Amino acid sequence: MEIFGIVFQLIFTHLIGNNIYYLVRKLIGDKRSYKEIINSERDSGLRYFTGVFVILAVIILMKKFIK
């Protein structure tokens, strides 16, 4: 059962990381498409840590507001 949690976490983290990273790049002013941005920076750890950061922020906000 634990393997499903790990797989779900990796998929969830990468999906959020890719999408948030794309939005940040678009806000900065990058004119490339989603596919070009994600494929050109495939080896970058920024996408992964963006997803981890967003998940941690959501957890912290939930702990703070839900009591």
Side-chain angles (χ1 to χ4, degrees):
M1 190 65 178
E2 196 169 309
I3 190 73
F4 292 117
I6 293 170
V7 170
F8 177 74
Q9 182 182 13
L10 287 173
I11 290 171
F12 192 65
T13 302
H14 284 290
L15 286 175
I16 288 177
N18 286 344
N19 291 331
I20 297 297
Y21 186 73
Y22 170 72
L23 289 175
V24 169
R25 294 294 296 209
K26 282 299 188 177
L27 289 174
I28 291 173
D30 198 347
K31 301 292 183 194
R32 298 180 291 172
S33 69
Y34 177 81
K35 188 174 182 180
E36 290 173 349
I37 290 173
I38 299 304
N39 286 336
S40 69
E41 299 175 15
R42 183 172 301 276
D43 296 331
S44 174
L46 291 175
R47 293 184 300 142
Y48 176 74
F49 289 114
T50 304
V52 171
F53 179 71
V54 169
I55 290 171
L56 288 175
V58 167
I59 290 171
I60 290 170
L61 288 174
M62 285 175 55
K63 284 187 148 233
K64 188 171 187 165
F65 291 118
I66 300 173
K67 293 190 179 201

